[in-house]
Amino acid sequence: MASHKLEHQLLPKSLALPVFASDPLSSNAYATEEMMLVLVTAGAGALVYRIPIALVIATVLIIVIASYRQTVRAYPHGGGSYIVARENLGTIPGLTAASAVLIDYVLTVAVSVVAGVLAVTSAVPSLADHKVLVAIGFVLLLTLANLRGVREASILFALPTYGFVTIIFVMLATGLVRCVNGCPIAPTASLPLEAHAGVSLFLILRAFSSGSTALTGVEAIADGVQAFRRPHARNAATTLAAMGAMTVTMFIGLTVMTVLLHVRVNEEIAESRSVLSQIGETVFGRTLPYFALQALTAGILILAANTSYQDFPRLSAILARDRFAPSQFRNRGDRLVFSNGVIVLSVLASALVYVFDANLTDLIQLYVVGVFTAFTLSQAGMVRRWHRLREPGWRRGMTLNALGATATGVVLVIVAATKFVHGAWIVIAAIPVLMLLLLAVNRHYRIVGQALRVKKVSPAERVANTFVLLVPDLDLATADAVGYLRSLRPERVVPVFFGDSEDFERTSTAWPSFAPRMGGLTALPGNGSRVHSLRAYVRSLHGDVDDFVTVVVPEEVSSDSLFHLVRRRSQFWLKVRLLFESGVVVTNVPLVPEERPLAAAHGEQPVEPLRSVVLVPVSAVHAATARAVAYATSLNAAEVEAVYFSLDPEQDRTIADEWMDWRMTIPLSIVEAPFRDITNPMLEEIRKFTSRPGTVVTVVLPELVVRHTWEQLLHNQTALFLKRLLLVEPNVVVTSVPFHVRADSRS
C-alpha cells in the first residue's frame, strides 16, 4: 500500500469505536466480577457494597471521559498523556506517563486475551488445561490481523464489538422484564461464602480499585486522534462520549443484575464460570442467546487487545520521533502500520501470558496502576496548560481537568496501596526502569546527533586515499578486483598477500605479470592471526586523520547471499572488524555468477571496466554523509551522484535545503519510494547505469559505527541491508565508509 493512501485509511466514527473503544467496553465482562471477588473475602454480607462502589466508579469514569474530551480538542495531533505531560509538566513526567501507558498496553493485551479465553473455557471446559497455548494463539491471530492494516482490522473487529454491546443490552432488558414477575435466581445463589476477613475501609478500597478496571482504555482515543477522519478532534471527542455512555450504562446495569439475580462468586467458581456467564445463563438459560453471549464476550475480550495494537505502535513511533525510543519504531510496514511496534507488543504480551500461566486474577492486579498514573499526569498537564494559555473558557476547563486529576490521583493512591503486595509493585518498579531506558536511548541519540552535526569534513576537501588490495590467490575474483582498481586510476595501491603462508612465494612470483604497474606483493608482518596483522598494518598506513585507507576485498559469491555468508564466515568477520578501524574503508568487489563467463574468457587476466560510476545513497544530511561524499569524490569516477529515497514527501524540501547548506560537491537526486521500501528504487537507479556494457557502479554507503553493540540496535541497519541486497547484483561494488561516533565526534 502506497504512502499517499494513508489518508484513505482514516477511520469514520463507526469503525473507530470498535478499534479504540473495545478495551473499555470489554472491561464490563470482568470489572464487576473483580470487585465482587474482593468483597466476598468478608462473606456474603459484604456484597451489599457492590452498588455504592459501582456508582463511585461510574462517576470517576464520567469525569475522566469529560476531561479527555478536552484533551482531544487541545491536542488534535494525538499523543495522549505523554504529549500533554511532557509539554506542560516536563520531560520526566512525560516519560513517566509514557512508561505507564506502554506497560498498560502490554497488560491490556494479556488481560483481554486471557479474559477472552476464560469466556471460551466457561462454555467449553475441556479447553481449560490448554489456556496458555490458546491465549498465545489468539495473540498471534491479532498480530496477523493488525499487520494487514488499520482499516482492515477495524472492519474485522466491528461485528464482535457491536454484537457484544447489543447482546449485553438485550440481556439487561430481558433480565429486567423477567424480574417484573419475580427475578430468576442464579445457580450460585446458595454458594457458601465464608468470611476470611471483616468488612473494613481497606477492603472496600481494594474492591473499588479492582472494579476500576472499567476505566482502562479511555486513554486510547487520545493517543489515536490522527487515525480518525477529519476533523480529527471533533470525531474523536464524539466517539469518546459514545463510548462513555455505553460503558457506564453496561457497568451499572451488570452490577445491578448481579444483585437482582443473587449472583455469587469465589476464586474457584471464577476459574470456570465468570459472573457475566452466570448472568447470561440465568437470564437466557443454556439457549442460543447464552452461547451467543459467550461467543461475543470471548470475541470482544480478545479483540479488546486491538486497542493496544493501535496505540502501542503509535506511541512508540511518537517516542521514536522524539528520540526516546529506537528509530525502527517509526518505520511503517507494507500496509501503512507501525509493524515493528505491533511485533514487539505481541512478543511482550505472549511472554506475560506464559509467565503468569494465563491467570486473569493475577494479571489484573498489575493492570490499573499504569492507567491511573497516566490519567493523573495527563489531567494535571491540562490544568497547567489552561492556566498558562488562558484560552476562552479556561476557568471552566481548568476546573474540570483539576477535578479529573484529583479523582484519578486519589484512585491511583488507593490502587497502589491496596494492590501493592498483590502484584502492583511489579508495575510500580517497572515504570521507573522503563523510564531510565528511554532516557538512556535519548542520551545515545543526543551524542550521535551532536557528532553528526559537527562539520569537521568538508565535502569539497581533497583527501588522500590509499588502496590496500587483499590477494588471497590469483583467481578470477582477484582479477576482477584488479580490473576494478585500474578503472579508478588510484594514486597509491598496496597489494597485500592474504592467503596461506606456504603459497606466498608462488603468488608473489606470478604477481608482476598478473597485475603489472601495481607494485610488488607485500607479505603481512608478524606471525599472529592474519586479521590482527592486517589491522596493525592498515593502522601503519594511515596518515592524516581525514585521509582514507581503503581495503579492497575480492570475493566470489553464489546467487544465495545467506548461504554465502555461512560458507565465508572468515571474510564476513574480517570486514566487520575492519569497520571498527578509524579511517578505514572496506570495499567489497564481488564476482557474481553473471560476471564469471566474461572473466573466464580473458584467462584469469584483469579486465578494466570502460566506465566507472559512483552512487552515494543518503538518508539524511550530516557529517557521516559529508565524509562519504568526500570519499566518493576521491574515486575519480566519470560520474558521481548522491541519491535520496523519498519515504516521506514532506521531508524532500528539507533534505534539498540541507544539501545546499552543507555545500555538497555532488548532485543530489531525490527518487520516490512510494511503498517505503528502497529495494526496487535502488536497483532501478543502479541498473540505469549497469545496463550500459562495460559500466561498473560503486555504491558508497555512509555507515554509522557506534561504541557498544547494544547501541547498534537503536539504528536502522540500512547499510547492512543494502550490502546484502547488492552482494549478488552484477557490475556493482559496495564500499562502506564508516563514521565512528566516538572517534569522529572529538573536537
Side-chain angles (χ1 to χ4, degrees):
M1 188 174 291
S3 298
H4 70 269
K5 292 186 177 180
L6 182 60
E7 184 74 20
H8 302 292
Q9 292 296 294
L10 299 180
L11 301 174
K13 296 187 290 293
S14 59
L15 292 181
L17 182 70
V19 168
F20 292 104
S22 54
D23 180 17
L25 292 174
S26 69
S27 64
N28 289 285
Y30 52 79
T32 299
E33 177 177 309
E34 292 303 317
M35 177 176 62
M36 291 174 62
L37 283 171
V38 175
L39 290 173
V40 296
T41 59
L47 291 175
V48 71
Y49 295 102
R50 276 175 290 186
I51 299 297
I53 293 174
L55 290 173
V56 174
I57 292 172
T59 302
V60 175
L61 179 56
I62 292 169
I63 292 171
V64 169
I65 289 174
S67 300
Y68 264 106
R69 278 168 55 85
Q70 295 195 147
T71 302
V72 163
R73 293 190 183 99
Y75 291 89
H77 298 295
S81 300
Y82 163 68
I83 294 293
V84 177
R86 186 180 179 215
E87 182 177 301
N88 297 288
L89 303 178
T91 299
I92 297 301
L95 293 181
T96 302
S99 301
V101 171
L102 289 174
I103 292 170
D104 174 59
Y105 285 149
V106 176
L107 286 166
T108 295
V109 176
V111 170
S112 298
V113 169
V114 169
V117 171
L118 178 60
V120 172
T121 56
S122 294
V124 189
S126 60
L127 291 176
D129 293 337
H130 308 287
K131 59 182 181 180
V132 173
L133 187 61
V134 174
I136 293 176
F138 280 131
V139 171
L140 179 60
L141 288 175
L142 283 166
T143 304
L144 296 176
N146 278 279
L147 289 175
R148 287 293 302 162
V150 176
R151 193 173 184 86
E152 286 77 3
S154 64
I155 294 172
L156 176 66
F157 300 159
L159 180 60
T161 303
Y162 286 119
F164 173 78
V165 173
T166 301
I167 196 70
I168 290 293
F169 281 117
V170 168
M171 182 182 70
L172 293 176
T174 304
L176 290 174
V177 169
R178 292 193 63 185
C179 281
V180 171
N181 297 319
C183 293
I185 303 301
T188 56
S190 59
L191 180 71
L193 297 174
E194 297 181 7
H196 300 287
V199 176
S200 64
L201 177 61
F202 184 77
L203 182 78
I204 292 173
L205 292 177
R206 268 192 63 202
F208 170 78
S209 64
S210 293
S212 294
T213 52
L215 278 76
T216 59
V218 176
E219 162 86 7
I221 290 178
D223 277 337
V225 176
Q226 285 295 295
F228 286 77
R229 279 185 181 170
R230 303 177 190 278
H232 302 301
R234 188 176 71 186
N235 288 332
T238 303
T239 306
L240 256 172
M243 178 198 72
M246 292 179 186
T247 302
V248 170
T249 304
M250 287 193 294
F251 178 63
I252 295 296
L254 290 172
T255 305
V256 169
M257 198 58 62
T258 63
V259 176
L260 296 177
L261 305 182
H262 302 281
V263 174
R264 294 187 178 187
V265 70
N266 58 23
E267 294 286 350
E268 184 178 351
I269 293 294
E271 283 292 317
S272 57
R273 299 177 64 194
S274 65
V275 165
L276 185 59
S277 174
Q278 292 186 54
I279 296 173
E281 186 176 0
T282 306
V283 172
F284 295 130
R286 294 186 73 84
T287 60
L288 183 60
Y290 166 74
F291 289 103
L293 170 67
Q294 291 302 99
L296 290 169
T297 301
I300 193 174
L301 284 170
I302 293 166
L303 299 181
N306 193 61
T307 299
S308 295
Y309 276 99
Q310 297 304 314
D311 284 335
F312 182 97
R314 290 177 185 277
L315 179 55
S316 299
I318 292 172
L319 288 167
R321 179 201 66 191
D322 294 343
R323 296 301 191 182
F324 288 104
S327 58
Q328 292 92 329
F329 283 113
R330 296 185 68 184
N331 300 340
R332 289 186 184 269
D334 290 342
R335 304 292 296 181
L336 290 169
V337 297
F338 298 110
S339 49
N340 289 331
V342 170
I343 293 170
V344 168
L345 174 62
S346 300
V347 171
L348 294 175
S350 297
L352 206 59
V353 169
Y354 178 79
V355 169
F356 282 85
D357 196 33
N359 186 297
L360 179 62
T361 302
D362 289 344
L363 279 169
I364 217 160
Q365 304 302 322
L366 285 64
Y367 197 18
V368 189
V369 176
V371 176
F372 283 97
T373 300
F375 285 168
T376 304
L377 289 170
S378 174
Q379 299 312 305
M382 283 298 296
V383 171
R384 178 74 181 274
R385 182 182 184 276
W386 285 116
H387 186 266
R388 177 168 52 86
L389 299 180
R390 306 203 174 203
E391 297 170 337
W394 68 274
R395 286 188 175 85
R396 182 184 61 82
M398 189 170 71
T399 301
L400 180 58
N401 285 123
L403 181 61
T406 303
T408 55
V410 170
V411 176
L412 174 61
V413 172
I414 292 171
V415 169
T418 58
K419 292 194 171 188
F420 186 85
V421 297
H422 298 281
W425 66 269
I426 298 175
V427 176
I428 294 172
I431 289 174
V433 170
L434 180 55
M435 185 178 66
L436 290 174
L437 288 175
L438 296 176
L439 287 170
V441 169
N442 180 255
R443 180 177 180 274
H444 167 75
Y445 281 134
R446 282 190 287 108
I447 291 172
V448 172
Q450 183 179 7
L452 292 175
R453 285 192 297 270
V454 177
K455 297 183 180 181
K456 294 193 64 179
V457 178
S458 171
E461 183 180 346
R462 187 69 178 177
V463 292
N465 195 349
T466 300
F467 289 85
V468 176
L469 172 62
L470 301 187
V471 182
D473 199 355
L474 303 185
D475 55 7
L476 291 177
T478 304
D480 189 44
V482 170
Y484 167 73
L485 277 175
R486 285 177 177 171
S487 71
L488 301 179
R489 306 292 188 268
E491 295 181 2
R492 185 186 182 194
V493 178
V494 181
V496 173
F497 182 69
F498 205 67
D500 295 330
S501 56
E502 57 269 19
D503 294 332
F504 175 71
E505 290 296 332
R506 175 184 60 81
T507 307
S508 61
T509 301
W511 175 255
S513 60
F514 182 85
R517 301 185 304 278
M518 200 165 277
L521 192 61
T522 302
L524 282 175
N527 298 318
S529 78
R530 288 186 298 170
V531 174
H532 180 76
S533 300
L534 177 63
R535 292 173 67 184
Y537 182 70
V538 167
R539 289 186 200 125
S540 70
L541 296 175
H542 201 271
D544 188 88
V545 67
D546 292 332
D547 291 342
F548 296 102
V549 174
T550 301
V551 178
V552 180
V553 183
E555 191 171 3
E556 187 166 358
V557 301
S558 65
S559 59
D560 191 330
S561 59
L562 290 178
F563 282 116
H564 172 77
L565 290 178
V566 173
R567 289 196 303 268
R568 306 295 293 273
R569 290 190 302 272
S570 58
Q571 281 195 338
F572 173 76
W573 287 113
L574 166 67
K575 290 179 281 188
V576 170
R577 288 167 184 166
L578 287 174
L579 279 176
F580 286 89
E581 294 292 330
S582 181
V584 175
V585 174
V586 179
T587 294
N588 205 140
V589 185
L591 180 67
V592 301
E594 292 88 341
E595 299 171 341
R596 188 177 177 84
L598 178 63
H602 289 79
E604 296 191 352
Q605 289 299 311
V607 180
E608 180 180 333
L610 300 176
R611 182 167 175 256
S612 177
V613 175
V614 176
L615 294 180
V616 186
V618 299
S619 59
V621 184
H622 43 53
T625 304
R627 187 162 175 77
V629 169
Y631 178 86
T633 56
S634 75
L635 297 181
N636 303 314
E639 188 170 346
V640 183
E641 178 182 303
V643 183
Y644 171 74
F645 295 100
S646 175
L647 306 179
D648 182 1
E650 295 180 0
Q651 292 295 316
D652 295 353
R653 172 57 62 183
T654 302
I655 291 292
D657 291 342
E658 291 176 347
W659 193 260
M660 298 297 293
D661 291 342
W662 277 73
R663 300 182 183 277
M664 297 294 184
T665 55
I666 64 176
L668 172 69
S669 295
I670 298 179
V671 178
E672 186 178 0
F675 296 98
R676 302 161 305 284
D677 179 12
I678 65 174
T679 301
N680 290 329
M682 183 82 224
L683 292 176
E684 288 172 5
E685 282 298 303
I686 290 172
R687 289 168 184 170
K688 283 195 309 186
F689 298 103
T690 57
S691 60
R692 178 176 172 180
T695 300
V696 63
V697 173
T698 302
V699 178
V700 175
L701 300 175
E703 188 161 1
L704 198 66
V705 180
V706 292
R707 186 174 182 181
H708 303 290
T709 303
W710 71 268
E711 293 174 333
Q712 200 69 41
L713 300 175
L714 302 179
H715 300 273
N716 286 312
Q717 305 302 313
T718 307
L720 181 61
F721 166 76
L722 288 176
K723 282 188 277 189
R724 282 186 53 195
L725 172 68
L726 302 177
L727 186 66
V728 293
E729 180 68 16
N731 303 313
V732 173
V733 171
V734 180
T735 296
S736 295
V737 181
F739 183 87
H740 296 264
V741 172
R742 291 297 182 183
D744 293 349
S745 60
R746 292 170 188 160
S747 54

